[in-house]
Amino acid sequence: MGNLLKAFTNPFYRTSSLEILLFFAGWGIWWSFFQIWLTTKQGFSGVQVGTIYSFGCAVSLVLMFVYGSLQDKLGMKKTLLKFFVICQLFVGPFFTWVYVPMLAANFYIGAAIGAVYLTVSYLAACPVFEAVTERLSRRYSFEYGQARAWGSFGYAVSALCAGFLFTMNPYLIFWTGSAVAAVQLIVLLALRPENDAALCQQYEVKAESVKESKTPSFSEIIGVFKMLDVWKMIVFVVMSWTFYTVFDQQMFPEFFTRFFSTPAEGQQAYGVLNSIEVFLEFIMMGLVPILMRKIGVRKAILLGCCIMIVRIGGCGLVTNPLGVAIIKLLHAPETALFILAVFRYFTLHFDTRISTTLYMVGFQIAAQVGQIIFSTPLGALHDSIGYQSTFLVISGIVCVASIYAFIILKKDNESVEGQPL
């Protein structure tokens, strides 16, 4: 608690935490109910939902690399973040007057246009917010995990509110997202501690400043694709973190709400469960950096794999809503371990100047590739054999990925080319 209170004295920590909180709040208010909205309000099948997610992943593949390269060139500048937030202002009008009519007129054209807008504004923007926060944490003396935790807190509050807004009127969740984006834009324009020379002098880490001053060349950024160790990580992420989205967002919401007597009751229960688990994620984001210092980065990643196997497999075995809800709460330590430990793996073993590109390619883009590969087939599998049997199949795939990770992940004291532990 003392460390957290001390962190609040750092204006760079306060500003970064508020910015990432508002981003996740504005995203979570509608994204947490997107799958339920698609299935219950628009009447789409598992295959159609899988197609919509696959289209989003396909656009993300391109944009994430573009965004990563641009942000590595921009360094600490928040130009891209402002662009994202301006796009997010239109999420309410887009869903109300563009997306729904286009899906009704031509499903595939509507899904493609929706994929472009949602990816430009949110799906590909999320890792940029995370990467900028991580970069600022190294330069201005605060713990990335403690700042990223506020993003989880914002998502938790939004998910709780979304459950009630959705039952009142589904479109309220999208218009609330627009309102949050307006607040976010004001914050980005008004709070700029990096422009205060005295604050920079007080909190800046000189070694990181020197390193960041050497902007990576385009050939260095492209060189990421020539690194064998990056490709090893890509394979691991495709076979593991992929299922965070496939399971949590494409399948679980409707699966959980089916346990209840009415859709409204199920949707409110899901909103409460979602907010509880993300609030626990908020706590875990602050604790996982401490755990990583004790057990190391490699072991933290492997622990995250084990929790994912138990969580997804457990939901395939338990047959009552309370049991499913309890198992689903393992989402909190799993998410914190994956996001923080994988990011730290890249900044430990690779050049930190290209950390955004590495995070995009080795983690986020890899997960998008996995979703393109698995979303539609698993949607069809769910239509064929049901949710719980599909969950057991997913758990088996993650088990294989964990064995692979145990073999290929570097130990923490091997090839330390970035920031040492």
Side-chain angles (χ1 to χ4, degrees):
M1 182 62 72
N3 288 338
L4 185 60
L5 292 174
K6 183 180 178 182
F8 272 108
T9 64
N10 185 333
F12 296 96
Y13 168 75
R14 294 197 304 270
T15 302
S16 296
S17 297
L18 180 58
E19 288 170 356
I20 207 163
L21 182 153
L22 288 169
F23 170 77
F24 276 96
W27 186 24
I29 196 72
W30 66 268
W31 182 247
S32 58
F33 272 76
F34 186 53
Q35 190 261 358
I36 291 176
W37 180 77
L38 289 172
T39 53
T40 64
K41 303 302 178 184
Q42 304 304 314
F44 293 127
S45 67
V47 171
Q48 287 176 309
V49 172
T51 301
I52 288 171
Y53 277 87
S54 294
F55 277 26
C57 296
V59 178
S60 294
L61 284 178
V62 178
L63 275 182
M64 280 188 178
F65 178 71
V66 172
Y67 284 170
S69 303
L70 283 173
Q71 192 58 55
D72 278 333
K73 284 288 189 183
L74 289 169
M76 301 292 171
K77 294 177 183 177
K78 298 179 181 178
T79 311
L80 268 181
L81 304 190
K82 294 170 188 173
F83 167 72
F84 300 148
V85 174
I86 290 170
C87 292
Q88 290 161 18
L89 288 169
F90 301 99
V91 67
F94 176 77
F95 271 91
T96 306
W97 297 312
V98 180
Y99 197 38
V100 171
M102 294 208 72
L103 285 171
N106 187 306
F107 173 77
Y108 289 100
I109 292 176
I113 291 174
V116 171
Y117 172 75
L118 296 181
T119 303
V120 167
S121 305
Y122 292 96
L123 304 183
C126 174
V128 179
F129 269 91
E130 292 176 325
V132 169
T133 304
E134 191 277 336
R135 184 168 253 151
L136 287 166
S137 74
R138 283 187 280 111
R139 185 159 178 177
Y140 294 112
S141 312
F142 63 88
E143 179 67 64
Y144 167 62
Q146 290 180 348
R148 175 59 179 79
W150 289 105
S152 299
F153 181 78
Y155 196 103
V157 173
S158 285
L160 181 61
C161 296
F164 296 96
L165 291 172
F166 190 80
T167 54
M168 291 167 57
N169 185 329
Y171 288 98
L172 284 175
I173 60 176
F174 305 113
W175 284 95
T176 305
S178 291
V180 175
V183 176
Q184 169 82 313
L185 185 60
I186 293 169
V187 168
L188 277 170
L189 294 173
L191 301 182
R192 305 172 71 181
E194 63 274 12
N195 290 347
D196 188 317
L199 290 177
C200 289
Q201 180 69 25
Q202 182 179 353
Y203 291 99
E204 198 168 35
V205 178
K206 300 302 180 186
E208 288 296 326
S209 300
V210 172
K211 191 181 295 184
E212 290 287 345
S213 66
K214 301 172 184 175
T215 306
S217 65
F218 186 69
S219 62
E220 287 177 307
I221 293 171
I222 291 294
V224 164
F225 292 101
K226 300 176 183 178
M227 299 177 183
L228 178 60
D229 288 325
V230 172
W231 284 103
K232 289 178 181 178
M233 284 296 291
I234 288 172
V235 172
F236 163 63
V237 171
V238 166
M239 301 299 288
S240 58
W241 187 246
T242 288
F243 301 108
Y244 169 79
T245 297
V246 174
F247 172 77
D248 282 70
Q249 292 153 12
Q250 185 178 325
M251 295 187 173
F252 185 83
E254 191 196 9
F255 163 71
F256 183 70
T257 57
R258 285 184 176 185
F259 283 105
F260 297 86
S261 56
T262 66
E265 185 183 347
Q267 288 155 12
Q268 286 188 357
Y270 172 71
V272 172
L273 173 62
N274 204 17
S275 63
I276 291 172
E277 75 177 31
V278 184
F279 180 74
L280 291 175
E281 180 187 311
F282 160 66
I283 296 171
M284 292 305 302
M285 285 285 182
L287 295 178
V288 163
I290 300 170
L291 178 65
M292 279 198 295
R293 285 196 288 271
K294 291 187 179 295
I295 69 171
V297 176
R298 182 176 182 272
K299 289 180 181 177
I301 295 174
L302 295 173
L303 178 59
C305 290
C306 293
I307 295 173
M308 181 181 281
I309 293 167
V310 172
R311 183 173 70 99
I312 298 177
C315 287
L317 296 173
V318 177
T319 56
N320 64 83
L322 179 61
V324 168
I326 291 170
I327 291 171
K328 183 65 164 61
L329 293 179
L330 289 172
H331 165 279
E334 173 200 313
T335 303
L337 283 164
F338 262 95
I339 289 176
L340 300 183
V342 171
F343 211 137
R344 189 67 185 92
Y345 186 87
F346 285 123
T347 59
L348 176 66
H349 296 294
F350 300 91
D351 186 349
T352 56
R353 292 181 305 132
I354 53 172
S355 60
T356 308
T357 303
L358 284 164
Y359 182 58
M360 292 290 195
V361 172
F363 188 60
Q364 296 290 345
I365 292 178
Q368 302 300 319
V369 171
Q371 288 170 50
I372 291 170
I373 295 169
F374 290 114
S375 283
T376 302
L378 286 174
L381 187 65
H382 142 251
D383 290 342
S384 176
I385 66 174
Y387 279 118
Q388 291 189 293
S389 297
T390 304
F391 296 164
L392 294 176
V393 172
I394 292 173
S395 186
I397 296 171
V398 179
C399 189
V400 173
S402 303
I403 296 169
Y404 168 78
F406 182 81
I407 297 169
I408 65 102
L409 289 178
K410 293 180 180 180
K411 294 180 180 178
D412 295 350
N413 57 0
E414 290 180 328
S415 304
V416 179
E417 298 179 16
Q419 184 185 39
L421 290 178

